[in-house]
Structures are given as structure tokens and as C-alpha cells.
Amino acid sequence: MSTLGPDKNDDVLRRFYGVIPAGGAGSRLWPLSRAAAPKFLHDLTGSGSTLIRATWARLEPLCAGRTLVVTGRAHAGAVRAQLPELREADLVLEPEPKDSAAAIGLAAAILYHRDPATIMGSFAADQVITPVEPFQAAVTEAVHTAAEGFIVTIGITPTHPSTGFGYIRSAGALAVPGAPHACAVAQFVEKPDEATAASYLEQGGYHWNAGMFVAPVDLLLKHLEASEPVLYAGLMEIGAAWDTPGRAEVMHRIWGSLPKTAIDYAVAEPAAAAGDVAMIPGAFGWDDVGDFAAIGRLNAAAEVSNLTVLGEGARVYSENASGIVVTDTKRVIALIGIDDVVVVDTPDALLVTTKAHAQRVKSAVEHLKASGDTDVL
Amino acid sequence: MSTLGPDKNDDVLRRFYGVIPAGGAGSRLWPLSRAAAPKFLHDLTGSGSTLIRATWARLEPLCAGRTLVVTGRAHAGAVRAQLPELREADLVLEPEPKDSAAAIGLAAAILYHRDPATIMGSFAADQVITPVEPFQAAVTEAVHTAAEGFIVTIGITPTHPSTGFGYIRSAGALAVPGAPHACAVAQFVEKPDEATAASYLEQGGYHWNAGMFVAPVDLLLKHLEASEPVLYAGLMEIGAAWDTPGRAEVMHRIWGSLPKTAIDYAVAEPAAAAGDVAMIPGAFGWDDVGDFAAIGRLNAAAEVSNLTVLGEGARVYSENASGIVVTDTKRVIALIGIDDVVVVDTPDALLVTTKAHAQRVKSAVEHLKASGDTDVL
């Protein structure tokens, strides 16, 4: 393994550009998270920062503001308010959701037209990572590995046999300068059942797929072109026009016609099959805040009391109660003699469930949608 | 036992006047019931009537509008709205709460000055009684018994060894014309512990004291005079002025100085010791709606679903949930995977507890009072 001189190191890192896809309603966190105020616009950890702001801050030392955000048109104002440093040319507003291949592919196409040597790193706006230093170290290794011609995923060491995430099966170590932990990826595997997940942990060599990756934009686009030529052509046309006065017209004309597919199918899996994917194991705490039980885990307050309370100016009285209260209101909330409860209090909707049932909130949202109660979604 | 002729029967019943003490915040039903909107102003059974309206309607066939209501000044408007038939002279507004001896004693004093032969019947505004026919039959028997010179309590046949009520120990049957079920009362006993309550049920001859009684006003006042002479004198002065232009001045001058005590201590117990108390057993369903668990029992909906929902236009979605939802709002409420829960949703306060802990709501209210959160009490 060779040691990099400071100049070479700097050259590679200067090619790095952050991308933050900020999408998804986070329906497992309803009624806190909803169409008009998705998960990434909330402070779910009591840190004082929304998740998107924390994501931006984590990337800041690596890309010094060279970060592009892709989000829905409805969230433009909220995202600008959260990220006042964001340049308008780096704010991509989707007229309608088109799934992750279009969102991330457009970021790649825009950055490619600015500089085809760019290495982009894609990090969802609604994940919680602590501490930040090992995250930044992993991304730095990933950038060096990407510079060698890889799409580099950052794998999360599993803490339990989760059935909620896809897994990455790694192969041998790679000898990449500046990336001592880089290894080859043999395969992406879909969310397993419980027995399979347990066997992954037993065997070792499996990491959770957190959807974080770092890649040379040209390599990403090459795989996209091969698997989704129509999508690729449309995105390249928008990318070419992006930093010109034609941006709005081209976006308006093309976006609606683009096919919907996930970046996993369009790029990650074919690239892995071609031997183009590497992995850096992430030696940091990671949570996708998938449900309200996660909010309990992520809030330090839970360690000193049995009740986690989230919400500015919350007025909660509890007696023999444990669980989580999230409030968007100034109402007095009294909890008496109830364990592991989840109470989410918003001006127009109230959820009462338990930590054990937190994953089922999504089905409630689907039911409400079906029954026409869309005013609260 | 003699049979009454229609004339004699009518004479006795014509002396009857209903009294409805409408007091108490019902803090075990917080945050639905509160200082500004106590229990008696709510429809807690899904019947379409508030408890005070239902109480009035139950008495109507017996006293044809000859009913006097004693309540707090703050509830004047709400009571007038609920009981549009109520004459202003029959609405007693307490400038401040002075406990039951003052409230009921003042009713007696007012009625005494109108006609010393009056037989009053006192029935709290916040109890649920079904069906009404046996209640009316019991009151009719009680009026006949009162006419013989008794303070007549209506005892509730215990359905379980409750520790939440006082008990009435009966002695032998009385031979009262028109009251075949009348019996003598040996003693009022305070709320017992569980073992004692169980022994009462085993022994028989014990009924719950529901606080309902029928009495000649002169007999009631005689006992009050003996046990609480200062209170008696004050109430008689107000009573004498009540139907005159001096009412407001006298009320204002005297009420604040009256001693506070319960009618049980001031009248019922000394009268029982003197052998002046009789009882009619009530052969009807009775509930004092003491907590939210009672609301579950009292609502027919609970029989067809595991979830009782109370509230006009309630928007409740439930999945594997049982218990009670009471809502004063139009918010969507989603309950997922939670059993025997009690959710009470009001614009400024939310309660989440379980049926088993429903009795402890009162202590939450006391805590909130102590902590200065009086805006929601």
C-alpha cells in the first residue's frame, strides 16, 4: 500500500462534491413527518438541528459548501431556510417525485457537465450519524477509492439481524492508496427474512446498505446509460442545460416523462455485477430513524428518564409512564400508568401506539390515504 | 299496610320539589371535565343529552318543572342553556363553593320559606341512571316515606365490593303506605377497605350511598340547626330573602361567611343516629361516572367494538386497539396496537392512560394545579 503525498491527496479530495437527496415523506413517523413536512425537516434527536442541516454540517468539512441538494418543489422554502449557504444552482427541485435513479442521476449529470472528473458522494438527508469524525474518515477513504474507478458504498456494521435493510456482501480487501479499509463488494442483497439476517451476522462479511455511496460521476452515468438509456438521455439533456438560461424550460419539458426506478437497480446492482463496486466499512453509529422507537434510542434524555420528550416548550406530566412523546403543540400532555407508549401530538393529528408497534404506523397512513383523510397526511 | 286513595297520593306528591346540586369539577375525568366545563355539562353516555339535562328529564314527570338547581356562578350560562325551562328563582348560583351542606341546605331553606310542607328530593347532576322507570318508582316511594317523617335515602344495590362509595346499613322494613320497599336505616358507614366491602356484600343488608335523598324540608332543617347552627341561621336568612328584592344583597353579605361541611356530617349521620332515616332500595342501574373506565362501561358502542369512541365528528383510526377515546376536537386520532388505553383529546390538553389507571387522573390534576398549569384545569 503506498502513501500519498499531500498534493495527490488534495487533488483527489478537490474533485469531491456532496449530493443530498432529500425525499420521502417518512410515513413511519406520521403524524410528525408528513407530505408537507417530511422527516428531514425535523430535529428528531434533540440536537437542535434538523436532520438535513446535520447532514449538510457533516459534509461541510469535506466539500466546503460544494454540495447539491435534490428535493421536491414543495420543500424549496424550507430547504433554503435550513441551508442558507446553498447556492441556487445547487438546489434541484423535482416537479414531481421520480424515484432515486432520476434524483441522483440528475445530480450526476449536472456535476458531470460542470466537470467530468467530479467524484460525487450521495448521502440521504434523513439519517443520523454519530460521531461525525469516523464518518468523515470513511468518506475520505471512499473518495480515494472512487478515484481508482469504483462506485464506493459505505457499509454499516450490523448491530442486530435487521430485516429492514438490504445487505452488502463484501469480498477481499482492495489495495487503494489512502483507503486502508477499502474492500471489494461481491453482491447487494435485498432485505432478508429473520433467519437469513441472523445467518449473515453469523457468517460475517455482511454490512447494512445505508444507501450512502461515493462515485466518479462518469462511472455512475456509464452504468446508468447501460441499464436505463432513456432515463440517462433525459438526465444528460437536463444536466447540459442546468447552468444555462435553458434550465427551467428543459426541466419542465423532460422531467415528467422520465422513467421511475431505484438507483439500486439502475446502477448499484449492475455495477456490483461488473466488479465496479467497493465498500468502506463505516465505523460510526448510524440510524435511519425508521420509526418512533428509533427516536427513543437516539435521544439522550431517554437515558436519564423512562420517558423521552421531544418538542420545544413541551408540557408533559407523567406518572409511572415510559416511552416517547413527540409534540408539535403547547398542549399539556398527561401520561399515567402506561409503558413503552408512543404519543405523537400535532395540531391536526394524534398518534398513540407502542414502541413495539412503531413500524406499523406506515399502514395507518396508507389506510388514512385510502379513506380520504388526506388533509392530515 | 294501607292502600292510598288517589287524593291522598296526589297530595303527598304535590309537595315534592326536585333539587339538583350541580357542583364538583370531576377531576377524575380531566381533561374532558374541568373547572370551566364540569362533568355534568358533558354527554358521557353517547345519549345525546348532557348529564344535567338527563337528570332534569328523569325528575320532570315527578315534579313537572318544580326543580331547583344549585351550581357555581361560572356555570350559570351553561346551565340555563341546558335547562331552558328552569325559572330564574329556581337557579341558585353560589358565589364560591361551600360544600354540600350549604348548597343543599340553602335549597331546603328557600323551599321552606315558600312552603314549609315541601318534600325535597336531592339528586346530583352528574349521575347516570337507567332505566328511568324504576328510579321514578323509587323516588315516588321515597316521597311517601318522607311524608311519614323520614329523611329517605335511595340505596343502590352493590354489584361489586366497591371501596369508592360509602354504604348504608339497613334495619327492618317500615310499614309505610305507598312505599312497600321502605326500610329503616341503622347507620351510614364511610368508604370501606376491600375486605370490609367484601364482608358487607356477604352479610347483605348494605347498599351504596349514592347521595340521593328525599326529605321534608322542615325535618332536614331541624337536623341542620342542631348540628350546624351558624350555617342554619345564615341559610335561613338567605332563604327568607330569596323570593324578595333583597336576594342579591343578602346572598352577597352572608354566603362568604358560611361554614363548609358535607351534608352527610351535618344532616344524614345525626339523623340516622336519631332514627330519622329510611331507605328505598333502588332497583335500577346507577353509575356516578367516577372515571374514564366508567365511560367505557356506559357506552353501548363498547359492546360491538373493543374501542369506545365518544365525541361528535370524531375521526378515529384504530388497528388492534381497545379502550376509550373521548375527543373534543376534530383531529385525526390513530391508535395502533395498544390495549385498554384511555385517550382524552381536548384542544389544550391530552390525557393518555389505561382503564386500570383511570382513578389516578385526579392526582395528575392535583399535580398540575401544584405546578401552576392551572390554565388547563
Side-chain angles (χ1 to χ4, degrees):
Chain A
M1 205 176 290
S2 68
T3 312
L4 290 168
D7 287 351
K8 174 76 189 305
N9 192 17
D10 280 4
D11 278 356
V12 169
L13 292 179
R14 261 202 291 269
R15 292 162 57 192
F16 184 62
Y17 216 103
V19 172
I20 302 177
S27 60
R28 280 192 190 84
L29 294 180
W30 179 88
L32 184 68
S33 171
R34 47 178 85 190
K39 192 163 77 168
F40 62 82
L41 291 175
H42 295 272
D43 169 15
L44 298 179
T45 64
S47 70
S49 287
T50 61
L51 296 183
I52 193 172
R53 180 72 219 172
T55 304
W56 174 279
R58 252 190 325 267
L59 292 171
E60 182 69 20
L62 300 169
C63 35
R66 289 158 50 92
T67 302
L68 187 145
V69 174
V70 187
T71 193
R73 210 171 248 182
H75 310 311
V79 168
R80 285 189 191 107
Q82 285 298 312
L83 311 175
E85 312 93 323
L86 180 65
R87 300 188 310 134
E88 271 304 301
D90 283 346
L91 176 58
V92 177
L93 298 176
E94 302 171 294
E96 59 181 293
K98 280 286 179 183
D99 214 333
S100 56
I104 292 167
L106 177 55
I110 292 170
L111 296 175
Y112 176 84
H113 281 94
R114 288 181 186 167
D115 178 357
T118 300
I119 294 171
M120 70 180 270
S122 176
F123 305 93
D126 54 5
Q127 300 183 347
V128 173
I129 289 172
T130 49
V132 295
E133 294 76 12
F135 165 78
Q136 290 160 346
V139 174
T140 303
E141 286 200 46
V143 174
H144 286 296
T145 308
E148 300 292 311
F150 289 100
I151 293 176
V152 189
T153 183
I154 295 178
I156 308 297
T157 306
T159 54
H160 63 279
S162 173
T163 59
F165 306 124
Y167 285 70
I168 303 160
R169 181 160 65 84
S170 55
L174 295 172
V176 177
H181 300 96
C183 56
V185 163
Q187 195 193 355
F188 287 97
V189 290
E190 304 261 345
K191 295 176 189 179
D193 61 28
E194 216 160 297
T196 310
S199 78
Y200 290 168
L201 263 71
E202 208 176 314
Q203 292 167 53
Y206 284 85
H207 286 75
W208 286 339
N209 181 3
M212 287 187 271
F213 68 88
V214 176
V217 290
D218 57 355
L219 178 59
L220 186 151
L221 290 166
K222 190 190 87 174
H223 282 289
L224 185 65
E225 181 177 20
S227 65
E228 292 282 344
V230 173
L231 179 59
Y232 169 81
L235 294 176
M236 287 301 272
E237 190 175 346
I238 303 173
W242 189 260
D243 290 319
T244 75
R247 179 199 299 173
E249 181 276 320
V250 175
M251 186 75 172
H252 176 77
R253 175 163 49 79
I254 293 175
W255 187 261
S257 69
L258 295 177
K260 279 185 175 181
T261 184
I263 191 78
D264 309 74
Y265 305 133
V267 173
E269 288 175 14
D276 280 353
V277 180
M279 184 189 77
I280 306 293
F284 46 79
W286 173 85
D287 204 302
D288 73 339
V289 206
D291 61 27
F292 285 110
I295 290 184
R297 288 195 302 273
L298 291 167
N299 280 271
E303 288 163 27
V304 288
S305 143
N306 291 323
L307 195 68
T308 304
V309 177
L310 221 68
E312 222 177 312
R315 298 173 70 188
V316 175
Y317 164 74
S318 72
E319 188 188 311
N320 295 319
S322 64
I324 303 158
V325 176
V326 186
T327 172
D328 241 6
T329 75
K330 304 281 182 246
R331 301 201 307 168
V332 165
I333 299 175
L335 301 182
I336 302 173
I338 193 159
D339 281 321
D340 281 328
V341 72
V342 173
V343 174
V344 186
D345 181 51
T346 75
D348 60 355
L350 168 69
L351 168 70
V352 180
T353 184
T354 64
K355 283 192 193 178
H357 290 82
Q359 284 278 332
R360 297 175 63 180
V361 173
K362 191 176 182 168
S363 74
V365 171
E366 282 155 10
H367 177 98
L368 290 167
K369 194 177 285 179
S371 66
D373 291 312
T374 50
D375 55 317
V376 295
L377 301 181
Chain B
M1 206 175 289
S2 66
T3 312
L4 290 170
D7 288 351
K8 173 76 191 298
N9 192 15
D10 280 5
D11 278 353
V12 168
L13 292 178
R14 261 201 292 269
R15 291 163 57 192
F16 184 61
Y17 216 103
V19 172
I20 303 177
S27 60
R28 281 191 189 84
L29 294 179
W30 180 89
L32 184 67
S33 171
R34 46 179 86 190
K39 192 164 78 169
F40 63 81
L41 290 175
H42 296 271
D43 169 14
L44 299 178
T45 64
S47 70
S49 287
T50 61
L51 296 184
I52 193 172
R53 180 74 218 170
T55 303
W56 174 279
R58 247 186 334 263
L59 291 171
E60 182 68 21
L62 300 170
C63 34
R66 290 159 48 91
T67 302
L68 186 146
V69 175
V70 187
T71 193
R73 208 170 250 183
H75 310 310
V79 168
R80 285 190 190 107
Q82 285 298 313
L83 310 175
E85 311 93 323
L86 181 64
R87 299 187 312 134
E88 271 305 300
D90 283 345
L91 176 57
V92 178
L93 298 175
E94 301 170 295
E96 59 183 291
K98 280 287 179 181
D99 214 333
S100 55
I104 293 167
L106 177 54
I110 292 169
L111 296 176
Y112 176 84
H113 281 94
R114 289 181 185 165
D115 178 357
T118 301
I119 295 170
M120 68 180 272
S122 176
F123 305 92
D126 54 6
Q127 301 183 346
V128 173
I129 289 171
T130 49
V132 295
E133 293 76 10
F135 165 78
Q136 289 159 347
V139 174
T140 303
E141 287 200 47
V143 174
H144 286 297
T145 309
E148 300 291 311
F150 289 101
I151 293 177
V152 189
T153 184
I154 295 177
I156 308 297
T157 306
T159 54
H160 63 280
S162 173
T163 59
F165 307 123
Y167 285 70
I168 303 160
R169 182 159 67 84
S170 55
L174 294 173
V176 178
H181 301 96
C183 55
V185 164
Q187 193 192 359
F188 287 98
V189 290
E190 303 264 342
K191 294 175 188 178
D193 60 28
E194 218 161 296
T196 309
S199 78
Y200 289 169
L201 265 71
E202 210 175 313
Q203 292 167 55
Y206 284 85
H207 286 75
W208 288 337
N209 181 3
M212 287 186 272
F213 68 89
V214 175
V217 290
D218 57 354
L219 179 59
L220 187 150
L221 290 166
K222 188 191 88 173
H223 282 288
L224 185 66
E225 181 178 18
S227 64
E228 292 282 342
V230 174
L231 179 59
Y232 169 82
L235 295 176
M236 287 300 272
E237 191 175 347
I238 303 173
W242 190 259
D243 290 318
T244 75
R247 179 198 300 172
E249 182 276 320
V250 174
M251 187 75 171
H252 176 76
R253 176 163 49 80
I254 293 175
W255 188 262
S257 69
L258 295 177
K260 278 184 175 181
T261 185
I263 191 77
D264 309 73
Y265 305 132
V267 173
E269 290 176 13
D276 280 353
V277 180
M279 184 188 78
I280 305 293
F284 46 79
W286 173 85
D287 204 303
D288 74 339
V289 207
D291 60 28
F292 285 110
I295 290 184
R297 287 195 303 272
L298 290 168
N299 281 271
E303 288 164 29
V304 288
S305 141
N306 291 323
L307 196 67
T308 304
V309 177
L310 220 69
E312 222 178 313
R315 298 172 70 189
V316 175
Y317 164 75
S318 72
E319 187 188 312
N320 295 319
S322 63
I324 302 157
V325 176
V326 185
T327 173
D328 239 6
T329 77
K330 302 283 181 245
R331 302 202 305 169
V332 165
I333 300 175
L335 300 183
I336 303 173
I338 193 158
D339 281 323
D340 281 328
V341 72
V342 173
V343 174
V344 185
D345 181 51
T346 75
D348 60 355
L350 168 69
L351 168 71
V352 181
T353 184
T354 64
K355 283 191 194 176
H357 289 83
Q359 283 280 332
R360 296 174 63 180
V361 172
K362 191 176 181 170
S363 74
V365 171
E366 281 155 13
H367 177 98
L368 290 167
K369 194 177 285 179
S371 66
D373 290 312
T374 50
D375 56 317
V376 295
L377 301 182

